[in-house]
């Protein structure tokens, strides 16, 4: 399908992805590209508008990233946000200088001209500023559309050429009517249609996969996580049994997980699923290993070996389906990361080998995580898969501190099951990024009945996060903590103490190893 689209030029802003997410929410397809994209590439992509993101640099600094001036002569609308606005001004010969009074945080914007960007908005509202530079004179042909007490040129435009600039960030939630400002730009100014939907995406990808694969086979490393599950469901929609899913039990999965994955994808969804129980093999390799990085390396290496062995058994397999998401793609084309074509290491695989001689299919590479969940729902995947909290690739190995033994894994599985069960009963599972148990490598004295005990300690961990890069601990109600603690101590043999981790990331990490 031919989607209307705009391109977002990335100048290194922490908010660049947020611009894309805001537009996707409006059912508009957008693509994040390098800041130095050429006019020819823009024409080839069929963009109906350009958005220049913010960025940490100063336009007057040496080697600062600037877009090509030819982009302003393409005849399509351009919107510059913060640094993007300053970059436009610098290209057109106006002055950009460091201001005496920086603006970081909320400010009141006063609208002077309601044309285009501010159509239908009130005459004043709160916006979010984040800058220490500002333009000190308007470029030729521009006029001010809005101001703040500290910025006379908080919004500017050349209305004849449809080039606009905003000193504030409309993409952040702190800016009132920010979504409407972006919508006014892409729909009213650029003339785009909101024709980006999950149904149309499925139709397009199914046709593309069929054309690419033909009658060959595709293999997919299925973990039961959201990304690999949705990837498998989409490819299965396209080619049916010519998709072979390989589900490897490394002995480090949660309670009942091997059975759940086989039930959902094998019996219920009817996938061509190959289950490989390699748990003894993994645990044998991990015997006596204490260092967390060594654990990860062993698990990743062993997974590759097992996957290779199973892949060779699939006759006619020429393709590998992998759940690469758009944020991973964006990292390879960022303003400061370079246009690398490196393929992401699958988060549940630990890095599949480059010499597997399989052609890569990445049907989710245009989607953000929340879009993947919506896609999974559209494809008919059950909520237990779509809404599953993130689970680390090394599994329980990074939640069982110290040496891994079958006994300790069994204790951890039972404790973790209780944590998730109580979180779900409280209706909090989908509101929390991750909630789980950690088995500590120490024993403490306790009393059960009239007898002294000397048993393990379990730590509870629950965090709020958006992308896992930062996280804050969840203020769980005491009643829930009490129920979890009471159940673990009474139901899990070998535990006599439960503690709650109240550290955020940073300085801590989400996982303990």
């Amino acid at each position: 399908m031919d989607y209307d689209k705009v391109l977002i030029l990335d100048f290194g802003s922490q908010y660049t992805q947020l611009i894309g997410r805001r537009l996707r929410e409006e059912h508009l397809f957008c693509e994040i590209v390098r800041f130095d994209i050429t006019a020819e590439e823009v024409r080839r992509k069929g963009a109906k508008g350009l958005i220049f993101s913010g960025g940490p640099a100063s336009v007057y600094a040496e080697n600062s990233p600037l877009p090509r001036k030819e982009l302003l002569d393409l005849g399509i609308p351009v919107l510059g946000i913060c640094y993007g606005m300053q970059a436009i001004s610098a290209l057109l010969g106006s002055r950009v200088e460091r201001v005496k009074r920086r603006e970081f945080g909320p400010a009141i914007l006063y609208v002077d001209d309601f044309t285009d960007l501010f159509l239908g908005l009130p005459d004043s509202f709160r916006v979010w500023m984040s800058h220490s530079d500002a333009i000190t004179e308007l470029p030729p042909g521009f006029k001010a559309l809005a101001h703040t007490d500290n910025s006379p040129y908080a919004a500017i435009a050349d209305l004849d050429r449809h080039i606009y600039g905003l000193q504030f960030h409309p993409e952040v939630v702190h800016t009132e009517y920010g979504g409407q400002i972006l919508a006014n730009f892409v729909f009213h100014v650029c003339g785009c249609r909101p024709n980006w939907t999950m149904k149309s995406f499925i139709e397009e990808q199914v046709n593309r996969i069929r054309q690419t694969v033909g009658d060959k086979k595709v293999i997919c490393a299925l973990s039961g996580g959201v990304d690999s599950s949705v990837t498998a469901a989409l490819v299965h929609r396209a080619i049916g049994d010519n998709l072979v899913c390989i589900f490897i039990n490394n002995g480090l999965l949660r309670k009942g997980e091997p059975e759940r994955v086989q039930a959902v994808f094998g019996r219920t969804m009817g996938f061509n699923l190959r289950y490989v129980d390699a748990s003894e093999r993994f645990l044998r390799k991990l015997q006596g290993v204490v260092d967390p990085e060594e654990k990860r390396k062993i698990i990743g290496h062993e997974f590759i070996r097992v996957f290779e062995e199973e892949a060779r058994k699939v006759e006619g397999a020429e393709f590998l389906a992998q759940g690469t998401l758009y944020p991973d793609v964006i990292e390879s084309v960022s303003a400061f990361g370079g246009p690398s074509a490196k393929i992401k290491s699958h988060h549940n695989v630990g890095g599949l080998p480059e010499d597997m001689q399989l052609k890569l299919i990445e049907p989710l590479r245009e989607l953000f995580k929340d879009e993947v969940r919506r896609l999974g729902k559209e494809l008919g995947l059950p909520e237990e898969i779509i809404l599953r909290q993130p689970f680390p690739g090394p599994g329980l190995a990074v939640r069982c501190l110290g040496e891994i033994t079958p006994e300790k894994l069994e204790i951890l599985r039972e404790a973790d099951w209780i944590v998730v069960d109580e979180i779900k009963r409280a209706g909090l599972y989908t509101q929390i990024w991750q909630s789980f148990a950690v088995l500590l490598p120490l024993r403490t004295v306790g009393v059960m009945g009239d007898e002294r005990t000397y048993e393990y300690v379990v730590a509870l961990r629950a965090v709020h996060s958006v992308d896992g890069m930062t996280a804050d601990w969840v203020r769980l109600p005491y009643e829930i903590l009490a129920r979890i603690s009471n159940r673990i101590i009474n139901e899990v043999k070998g535990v006599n103490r439960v503690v709650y981790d109240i550290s955020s990331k940073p300085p801590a990490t989400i996982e303990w190893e």
Side-chain angles (χ1 to χ4, degrees), residues 93 129 146 226 237 260 277 335 386 492:
M129 293 285 193
V226 178
R237 173 75 63 94
R260 283 197 300 276
D277 186 356
I386 300 169
V492 183

Side-chain angles (χ1 to χ4, degrees), residues 475-492:
R475 276 65 172 172
L476 285 175
Y478 289 154
E479 300 78 28
I480 297 175
L481 289 172
R483 282 200 301 272
I484 293 173
S485 176
N486 187 61
R487 283 191 61 188
I488 289 176
I489 291 173
N490 282 285
E491 297 176 28
V492 183

Side-chain angles (χ1 to χ4, degrees), residues 5 25 39 90 116 167 223 261 290 337 357 391 407 449 475 497 507:
K5 73 165 69 170
E25 288 169 3
D116 294 344
Q167 185 60 72
S223 69
V261 172
V290 175
Q357 305 301 314
F391 187 61
E407 175 208 9
R475 276 65 172 172
R497 190 179 301 272

